Amino acid sequence: MKKSALFAAICVPAFLAAAPLAAKTLVYCSEGSPENFYPGINTTGTSFDVNEHIYDNIVDFERGGTQVVPGLAEKWDISADGTVYTFHIRKNAKFHSNKAFKPTRNLNADDIVFMLERQWKEDNPYFKVTSPNHSYFTDMGMPKLLKSVEKVDDYTVRITLNQPEAPFLSNLAMQWAGVQSKEYADAMLKAGTPEKIDQDPIGSGPFTLVNYQKDAIVRFKAFPEYWGGKAKIDDLVFAITPDASVRWAKLQKGECHVMPYPNPADIEAIKKDPNVTLMEQAGLNIGYLAYQTTKKPFDDVRVRKAVNMAMNKKAIVDAVFLGSGVPAKNPIPPSMWSYNDSVKEDEYNPEAAKKLLAEAGYPNGLETDLWAMPVQRPYNPNARRIAELMQADLAKIGVKAEIKSFEWGEYRKRAQAGEHQMAQLGWTGDNGDPDNFLHTLLGCASAQSASGSNIAKWCYKPFDDLVTKAKVVTNQAERTKLYQEAQKIFKEQAPWFTIAHAVQLKPVRKEVVDFKLSPFGRHTFYGVDLKGK
């Protein structure tokens, strides 16, 4: 057993035993360690789960839903032309403190401006601290969309856009827009340690970070002065447990209360456990295999189509998801508005695939790589096994695929840089808007960014024109038509082999009260209580 894993196994029960009897401690068996504590550069749900307890946003999503509700802004006004947003910031939001810094004021407009300018203005002293790769901000086209961000007074911020942006409020409720303290940032810059604000975070969220041991544990305490009222639990512990079987064993023993991403093979046993409730809902996600469309042979749509037709999607999904996923034909899930069910799925036809490959100039097949993620994700329970099934299918049409993998952080970095020929990845929606899938994952802005989420590097003007226009249109019926046309083009051009939409399954111990499934796959414990504590 690795030292870090051993530490986690020993220290969680010890921590629980040491906690005062009156304290309510909830333990969440997280699947991995956060990338860091700076929301502006995070791209994984693992990091989102940690940071959303520390930071607040200007606006938020209702718990368990996609409706935008007040956050740090108590109310807002939008101009008639949809380009000017005025946010009225609540006056009772306080920042946490730590050993290095004690705030002297409540959260105000300066902090909102700092959050945006840190990601937008390259001359901001914090633009490059930790990383200049503000993936979400860039992929959503924010640098060109924002015209100005002004502090009107201490508790009023005005954001002016260069053009209307239909999903703008929903985008502000996403993780990248978590608000940090400018006062803390200024103090750390003066001290010559600007990186501290991302390593030892201070936010205004419902929990303060107490301790973090990479690959072992994250400890939080309820923030008693939280503007929304103190959390019902006193202590929150993320016990980092990468193995799904170990997570399930811990849940059975009561060593953790909630676990994510169970093994599909364990579902029947989970359903039979009298101490556990299996929460379930359709997932707002997509798992896919992206073709690097700027590299041979995948710069040819015929090759992409041939590979799509060579793989038996239904057999792959049946074998790996075991009923916990449905085959995907579109890049957005069926539960999302504007889903185009009339799109025709690529048929599984190895003979037709061979002919198309020959037509593209590969009568004897070809060689390629096939990247498989090293971790279980909400949209993919076993990427290695899927890669092996794909490899076997491709061999039948003369395509020799070498399976490759890397450490998870390295995998994402290399895929975003476009080093692969074929790579598995996926996405869980952040805001319930199709733009979050179609523009962020497949738009030209994201393809051209060195750290963009469009790992197919697919920039196709007819598609990009549609999804860019849909951002500006506010009428949902009109936006739906544009997105449905975009899905047709996506299918014709085949930058991905769409694999599956996973069902969101969450085993929760029965003493947990008011835990809600998030459509975005997040794990939020503000508002959650424990029975009998």
Side-chain angles (χ1 to χ4, degrees):
M1 185 185 277
K2 285 184 180 176
K3 282 184 182 176
S4 59
L6 179 63
F7 177 84
I10 293 169
C11 92
V12 173
F15 173 71
L16 296 182
L21 289 176
K24 292 181 182 181
T25 301
L26 187 143
V27 181
Y28 167 62
C29 275
S30 172
E31 79 285 2
S33 296
E35 296 162 279
N36 56 69
F37 298 105
Y38 173 31
I41 59 171
N42 291 329
T43 57
T44 68
T46 310
S47 297
F48 296 163
D49 285 342
V50 168
N51 285 332
E52 73 175 28
H53 293 92
I54 299 170
Y55 300 106
D56 283 317
N57 288 50
I58 304 173
V59 293
D60 210 339
F61 292 112
E62 62 185 347
R63 211 157 61 90
T66 58
Q67 185 72 32
V68 174
V69 296
L72 292 171
E74 292 180 297
K75 59 180 182 174
W76 53 87
D77 309 305
I78 306 171
S79 65
D81 68 352
T83 62
V84 182
Y85 289 73
T86 305
F87 295 96
H88 305 279
I89 310 304
R90 62 179 70 251
K91 297 176 180 177
N92 63 335
K94 297 178 185 296
F95 279 113
H96 314 151
S97 61
N98 59 25
K99 289 175 185 174
F101 180 76
K102 301 282 185 283
T104 66
R105 61 164 176 79
N106 286 3
L107 184 147
N108 68 22
D110 290 326
D111 306 302
I112 309 292
V113 174
F114 171 66
M115 176 273 291
L116 288 164
E117 290 196 340
R118 178 180 181 182
Q119 302 179 62
W120 182 30
K121 303 274 180 89
E122 293 190 24
D123 61 352
N124 185 286
Y126 272 90
F127 184 81
K128 291 182 180 177
V129 172
T130 303
S131 171
N133 294 328
H134 305 103
S135 298
Y136 273 93
F137 193 83
T138 304
D139 291 354
M140 293 187 300
M142 285 283 177
K144 290 180 181 174
L145 176 67
L146 294 179
K147 184 175 183 180
S148 65
V149 178
E150 307 163 84
K151 171 186 174 179
V152 177
D153 59 40
D154 279 352
Y155 294 98
T156 311
V157 175
R158 182 183 297 125
I159 299 175
T160 305
L161 310 181
N162 282 309
Q163 62 188 37
E165 174 85 350
F168 186 65
L169 273 180
S170 295
N171 289 344
L172 282 179
M174 286 161 50
Q175 283 279 321
W176 66 270
V179 178
Q180 295 179 298
S181 164
K182 184 176 190 298
E183 188 186 20
Y184 182 33
D186 289 344
M188 293 304 100
L189 192 64
K190 190 176 178 182
T193 55
E195 68 285 349
K196 256 189 173 292
I197 77 163
D198 300 334
Q199 295 170 359
D200 193 2
I202 284 176
S204 62
F207 292 89
T208 61
L209 180 71
V210 175
N211 186 24
Y212 170 52
Q213 294 284 336
K214 187 172 166 57
D215 299 330
I217 199 165
V218 189
R219 285 198 190 110
F220 304 89
K221 263 206 156 338
F223 182 40
E225 296 180 276
Y226 183 55
W227 59 265
K230 182 183 173 293
K232 293 173 183 175
I233 53 173
D234 302 294
D235 298 289
L236 175 61
V237 177
F238 278 37
I240 297 164
T241 316
D243 189 302
S245 299
V246 177
R247 291 199 294 275
W248 169 225
K250 284 185 175 185
L251 194 81
Q252 286 174 287
K253 293 175 192 169
E255 290 176 15
C256 62
H257 298 98
V258 180
M259 68 166 278
Y261 321 132
N263 277 330
D266 290 332
I267 297 301
E268 282 310 307
I270 291 169
K271 286 178 177 175
K272 290 173 184 171
D273 191 309
N275 298 311
V276 173
T277 299
L278 183 66
M279 300 179 76
E280 183 174 339
Q281 73 177 22
L284 204 66
N285 59 49
I286 175 73
Y288 58 85
L289 177 74
Y291 304 120
Q292 219 289 30
T293 60
T294 66
K295 282 184 179 176
K296 286 191 177 302
F298 297 109
D299 57 343
D300 189 327
V301 67
R302 293 171 298 182
V303 175
R304 303 196 296 265
K305 276 288 195 184
V307 172
N308 273 7
M309 292 165 70
M311 294 186 285
N312 189 339
K313 185 180 297 186
K314 186 178 185 307
I316 290 170
V317 174
D318 286 349
V320 178
F321 286 80
L322 303 177
S324 65
V326 294
K329 68 176 177 178
N330 287 329
I332 63 173
S335 57
M336 180 165 271
W337 62 269
S338 84
Y339 181 82
N340 191 345
D341 203 27
S342 69
V343 165
K344 192 172 181 295
E345 177 62 292
D346 293 314
E347 62 173 335
Y348 169 57
N349 190 332
E351 286 309 310
K354 275 186 197 172
K355 286 177 187 170
L356 198 52
L357 215 52
E359 187 186 308
Y362 300 95
N364 302 314
L366 56 87
E367 292 187 7
T368 181
D369 61 29
L370 171 51
W371 289 21
M373 296 177 298
V375 291
Q376 188 182 23
R377 299 308 302 142
Y379 45 76
N380 189 328
N382 192 334
R384 179 79 194 191
R385 180 67 185 130
I386 286 178
E388 289 166 354
L389 293 168
M390 288 176 166
Q391 183 185 50
D393 281 347
L394 293 174
K396 293 171 190 170
I397 66 159
V399 173
K400 185 180 177 185
E402 181 191 355
I403 297 173
K404 290 184 178 180
S405 196
F406 307 91
E407 178 274 327
W408 183 218
E410 190 69 14
Y411 183 100
R412 292 194 323 278
K413 185 179 170 186
R414 288 177 177 234
Q416 286 175 329
E419 293 181 20
H420 58 287
Q421 286 176 290
M422 300 194 297
Q424 284 187 64
L425 207 61
W427 190 258
T428 299
D430 297 289
N431 63 11
D433 195 291
D435 172 77
N436 182 239
F437 284 76
L438 299 173
H439 186 270
T440 302
L441 301 182
L442 293 157
C444 288
S446 181
Q448 290 156 0
S449 166
S451 59
S453 299
N454 184 346
I455 67 162
K457 300 299 175 187
W458 183 62
C459 176
Y460 189 65
K461 193 172 186 302
F463 176 93
D464 195 64
D465 286 348
L466 289 167
V467 297
T468 303
K469 185 179 178 184
K471 279 175 159 292
V472 182
V473 175
T474 53
N475 180 286
Q476 189 164 309
E478 283 184 56
R479 293 185 76 205
T480 293
K481 285 178 191 170
L482 293 167
Y483 287 137
Q484 289 188 335
E485 188 59 34
Q487 287 165 73
K488 280 189 207 167
I489 292 173
F490 166 87
K491 206 64 185 178
E492 289 161 6
Q493 291 296 312
W496 295 350
F497 173 74
T498 50
I499 302 170
H501 306 292
V503 176
Q504 188 182 173
L505 298 167
K506 209 76 59 185
V508 178
R509 286 192 63 86
K510 290 200 169 163
E511 57 265 35
V512 176
V513 181
D514 286 339
F515 176 76
K516 286 184 165 62
L517 289 182
S518 157
F520 315 125
R522 301 285 78 84
H523 301 92
T524 307
F525 298 102
Y526 181 67
V528 177
D529 205 350
L530 289 169
K531 267 192 287 197
K533 295 283 182 179

